Amino acid sequence: MKVPSADPPITRALSKEEAARAPMRKMTVIAQDPGVRRDNKIVMSTIDVPAEDLRNGPMGYRVQVVDFDATRRVFHGSHHLPASVVKEPKSWRDGEPRIQRDFRFHAQNTYALVMKTLARFEFALGRRVPWSFRTHQLKVAPHGMADANAFYSPEVEGLVFGYFDGASGEKVFTCLSHDIVVHETTHALLDALRERFMDPSTADQAAFHEGFADVVALLSVFAQSEVVEHLLVGKRRQRAKELFITRRELEPQALEKSALFGLAEQMGAELEGVRGQPLRQSATLTANPKLKDTDEFKEPHRRGELFVAAVMQGFINAWSHYALGAGLRGQKRFPVRRVAQDGADIADLLATMWIRAVDYMPPVHLEFGDALSAALTADFEVRPDDRRYELRKHMRDSFEAFGFRPASDRPDGTGLWRQPPPGLKYDRVRFESLKTEKDEVFRFIWDNREPELLNLRDGAYTEVLSVQPVTRVGVDGFVVRETVAQYYQVARLTPDEMRDVGIQAPREYLRSLGETAKAFAKGAVADGDEGEDTPAPPADVDAIEAKTTPLYGGGVLIFDEYGRVKYFVENDVFGRKQNARLAYLWKEGLLEPGEKSARLHATRLSTLHRLRALRPVTSRAQRW
Ligand SMILES: [Zn+2]
């Protein structure tokens, strides 16, 4: 049997004209982390990143590497990167262990992986993705602090990677781990796409930021066939004739062990504390629908691991199934390179599916079932024919095994979002403006505000957050044009008002609110007695506002290329999920009266990434 050949080796630089026109360029990065070795050389990978003329730093149009160490107050200088892959030092391409101390290489590794992740998101979503803050360039500090940690911070508008002394005495740099760089970049991108997902809301939403960042990071590692091949070959001798694996080695449990667990084993043990154990858990957690209801798995990080395990086990099942099915009847040995390539292709498709899913997720109060329906729908729109890998079926099955079902109860069992309600009115909106203008989208929502249509609630403030025209390309060149619009509703209610709209908040919370409300009511009565010309003390209004937790709702509208709504995904600002959210926040101690949600925002960030020094800032929530 002929083993399919790899890409031809890169032998010459592109000519100036070729380079100027090429949309992408190649850069060498560490395939996973410096601990993953073959013949004592670090396994490297050549990845495609958007081409641009970099200034020293490197500084590009979306990313600015600032090699400043805030702990030691040292600036390591602006790095000048090689102009093309053939000009890179041989030590980089060969994966010489000494590149672990080459800060210029560190700068390239970090820059390239951040840009690759951004490009992956922009390709999947079919549009530019701005950062969550105003500036165009994300600041990235590859050696930003002496700490076994890395984090994304909207306040510093960037990513900070730490370094520390490893057990072996060598310095460990988090910026050299593929999954850590992609993980932090994914936090930044998800925050830009769904600004309310960092808020405390439900156990699932708290877990989602972490789980999603892990999933994109792990699938990004597996999308490199170099890594997959290395894992499959394992310890066996690497003479070309022996590069086959057996049928038994392709069974799901065996693949899980060699690929998922194998990678976890090879990663530097020092980094375990930084990245948690999502990879190890994704291989070792036995699927069980009851886990999600245990106290242990209500803690955000553990719950995030359930999400990771569901996606990664679905990945392994799809891959195993396809690889075995692609062989001839009775075939006993399969070429490793082809199996690795299949695995990398499936990982890539799944990463795209999950990134696209974000556009189809409700803007607030996400649960895993919503995320799953969003992924299934996003994938179906661009890749209606799923017979090749059956990715949607494998995702549904693996989530079900962990007790998570699609939020959509469509009768056909596909788990896709339902069609929009019939009777939507389009007569007064202008289609061209609907593709780009918030006011036009708001008009559409306003015109359709009835409960049986878009269900815009009286008594809540409504704001259209974003309107994005997108062009998505499927694997077969199939093009889908859509407009994605997000809006949200916010309300602050007194206990009586909550009761009126049917929200059941925890009793102790209501009591604490009730006292404020009583004081407020007293003030208002006294005010009335004294006549109209005495102004009410404004402090009371502030006091009651400060003591109520805002309720959020909102929706996503997906318009097709003719301006008709294809999907409408909503979370009612006075709906059932509010009860669960308030109960969760109360239980977690996040609903203390008198605390504003900006405080909640900071609490969440710091628990996730130990951002101790962060000053709480006013979030959007405070401006309405
Ligand atoms: Zn994280």
Side-chain angles (χ1 to χ4, degrees):
M1 189 178 297
K2 196 169 170 285
V3 177
S5 63
D7 283 344
I10 301 152
T11 50
R12 70 170 180 89
L14 297 178
S15 72
K16 263 207 172 117
E17 276 153 41
E18 284 168 333
R21 298 179 70 150
M24 303 299 266
R25 61 166 292 187
K26 295 200 178 294
M27 282 187 156
T28 301
V29 296
I30 290 179
Q32 170 40 42
D33 69 30
V36 180
R37 306 271 177 108
R38 177 184 262 177
D39 300 334
N40 201 34
K41 295 273 175 64
I42 300 168
V43 178
M44 306 298 284
S45 166
T46 311
I47 59 170
D48 286 313
V49 297
E52 60 172 326
D53 295 325
L54 287 168
R55 277 172 61 180
N56 286 355
M59 189 194 292
Y61 70 111
R62 297 301 303 280
V63 171
Q64 196 176 337
V65 172
V66 185
D67 204 351
F68 181 72
D69 179 338
T71 307
R72 292 172 50 214
R73 316 294 299 172
V74 182
F75 181 57
H76 295 296
S78 292
H79 303 285
H80 177 77
L81 298 190
S84 70
V85 70
V86 294
K87 293 195 176 148
E88 288 175 357
K90 195 167 172 298
S91 60
W92 295 12
R93 281 184 282 150
D94 291 351
E96 296 286 349
R98 65 188 153 93
I99 63 173
Q100 287 179 88
R101 295 182 298 276
D102 178 349
F103 279 18
R104 183 170 167 244
F105 172 73
H106 293 195
Q108 160 151 322
N109 195 69
T110 322
Y111 164 83
L113 289 173
V114 173
M115 282 305 282
K116 166 88 184 172
T117 310
L118 172 67
R120 189 186 274 289
F121 270 70
E122 292 191 335
F123 164 76
L125 294 170
R127 64 164 191 269
R128 295 286 171 228
V129 181
W131 305 116
S132 69
F133 33 86
R134 274 165 190 226
T135 54
H136 299 286
Q137 292 150 309
L138 178 83
K139 294 181 200 72
V140 178
H143 315 97
M145 58 179 175
D147 192 2
N149 205 355
F151 63 81
Y152 155 64
S153 159
E155 284 73 22
V156 304
E157 303 180 345
L159 311 179
V160 179
F161 295 93
Y163 60 87
F164 57 99
D165 292 318
S168 57
E170 286 238 23
K171 283 244 180 313
V172 178
F173 297 98
T174 57
C175 72
L176 294 184
S177 288
H178 186 124
D179 68 310
I180 294 180
V181 178
V182 177
H183 177 109
E184 299 307 332
T185 311
T186 301
H187 274 312
L189 289 161
L190 182 59
D191 191 32
L193 293 164
R194 285 289 182 272
E195 59 184 74
R196 304 239 65 103
F197 279 11
M198 289 250 213
D199 291 351
S201 166
T202 59
D204 280 4
Q205 179 163 299
F208 184 73
H209 238 283
E210 282 309 312
F212 181 73
D214 282 332
V215 158
V216 175
L218 294 177
L219 290 174
S220 172
V221 171
F222 281 104
Q224 305 167 103
S225 58
E226 295 96 329
V227 179
V228 185
E229 196 177 331
H230 170 69
L231 290 167
L232 293 180
V233 171
K235 294 194 182 75
R236 74 184 84 191
R237 292 168 60 199
Q238 291 163 23
R239 273 184 291 131
K241 275 182 190 164
E242 289 177 38
L243 288 180
F244 288 93
I245 74 173
T246 63
R247 182 168 277 277
R248 182 179 291 178
E249 288 170 308
L250 278 178
E251 293 293 339
Q253 283 96 338
L255 265 187
E256 214 160 73
K257 197 155 185 290
S258 61
L260 295 183
F261 202 72
L263 184 59
E265 288 285 274
Q266 293 195 17
M267 283 177 170
E270 291 107 328
L271 280 164
E272 240 170 49
V274 184
R275 57 164 71 94
Q277 290 199 27
L279 181 61
R280 202 174 295 268
Q281 292 295 353
S282 68
T284 51
L285 261 182
T286 309
N288 177 350
K290 289 188 181 139
L291 285 180
K292 72 175 175 32
D293 300 318
T294 61
D295 278 345
E296 183 184 356
F297 284 98
K298 282 182 181 153
E299 188 277 317
H301 274 98
R302 298 305 322 265
R303 199 167 188 82
E305 286 165 9
L306 292 181
F307 181 81
V308 179
V311 175
M312 296 311 287
Q313 291 184 13
F315 160 63
I316 292 289
N317 290 339
W319 179 19
S320 162
H321 202 258
Y322 179 75
L324 288 171
L328 301 170
R329 182 192 288 264
Q331 185 175 330
K332 290 201 180 82
R333 299 193 314 154
F334 297 77
V336 163
R337 182 156 287 162
R338 183 178 296 162
V339 171
Q341 192 57 56
D342 291 338
D345 288 349
I346 293 171
D348 194 53
L349 275 175
L350 270 179
T352 304
M353 175 198 285
W354 278 102
I355 294 166
R356 281 186 173 146
V358 178
D359 264 354
Y360 290 72
M361 291 180 194
V364 292
H365 311 324
L366 184 82
E367 291 177 359
F368 289 169
D370 298 314
L372 179 58
S373 274
L376 298 170
T377 312
D379 188 60
F380 172 81
E381 283 298 317
V382 185
R383 230 172 41 86
D385 184 354
D386 190 30
R387 281 173 298 181
R388 188 178 171 89
Y389 300 124
E390 296 185 294
L391 292 185
R392 294 196 286 275
K393 174 190 168 300
H394 285 293
M395 278 299 117
R396 271 195 305 270
D397 290 351
S398 59
F399 272 80
E400 171 113 46
F402 281 95
F404 300 107
R405 289 167 166 254
S408 167
D409 55 351
R410 248 164 79 138
D412 61 7
T414 55
L416 306 187
W417 289 124
R418 279 175 172 274
Q419 306 290 310
L424 287 172
K425 289 169 272 187
Y426 295 90
D427 344 344
R428 293 185 184 135
V429 289
R430 294 166 60 94
F431 168 51
E432 273 308 308
S433 313
L434 200 59
K435 284 196 257 184
T436 49
E437 290 181 32
K438 292 180 183 177
D439 283 319
E440 200 68 35
V441 171
F442 184 75
R443 173 160 201 185
F444 175 78
I445 298 169
W446 188 256
D447 283 353
N448 289 286
R449 63 183 177 273
E450 291 92 327
E452 65 281 11
L453 299 176
L454 301 185
N455 191 28
L456 206 63
R457 294 293 205 142
D458 281 345
Y461 164 83
T462 308
E463 182 178 331
V464 174
L465 291 172
S466 63
V467 182
Q468 307 268 11
V470 303
T471 306
R472 293 175 181 176
V473 185
V475 266
D476 52 356
F478 190 73
V479 176
V480 177
R481 287 189 175 73
E482 292 175 340
T483 300
V484 181
Q486 280 187 76
Y487 68 91
Y488 74 166
Q489 287 208 285
V490 196
R492 283 186 192 271
L493 304 184
T494 62
D496 287 344
E497 289 169 330
M498 280 197 212
R499 236 164 271 134
D500 287 349
V501 297
I503 290 175
Q504 294 165 347
R507 196 172 298 160
E508 296 87 340
Y509 172 60
L510 282 180
R511 196 173 296 144
S512 69
L513 285 183
E515 271 144 34
T516 323
K518 248 182 257 159
F520 177 65
K522 251 188 227 159
V525 171
D527 191 31
D529 289 344
E530 282 163 35
E532 274 179 25
D533 45 4
T534 316
D540 283 347
V541 182
D542 286 348
I544 196 159
E545 284 228 326
K547 292 214 174 195
T548 52
T549 293
L551 300 175
Y552 292 100
V556 168
L557 290 160
I558 312 279
F559 295 97
D560 68 12
E561 57 189 307
Y562 310 107
R564 299 274 144 172
V565 176
K566 260 203 279 196
Y567 298 104
F568 168 53
V569 183
E570 177 216 25
N571 252 323
D572 186 352
V573 65
F574 301 149
R576 161 193 76 81
K577 282 195 183 178
Q578 300 294 350
N579 300 342
R581 170 176 173 262
L582 290 170
Y584 171 77
L585 294 181
W586 183 258
K587 187 164 169 273
E588 297 294 309
L590 293 167
L591 207 60
E592 283 158 38
E595 300 295 335
K596 288 206 174 195
S597 63
R599 168 71 207 291
L600 301 181
H601 190 97
T603 311
R604 166 95 183 108
L605 267 175
S606 57
T607 30
L608 280 181
H609 288 288
R610 292 186 255 151
L611 282 177
R612 298 180 209 91
L614 256 196
R615 186 170 43 86
V617 292
T618 308
S619 71
R620 283 182 82 96
Q622 265 53 61
R623 286 204 273 114
W624 63 278

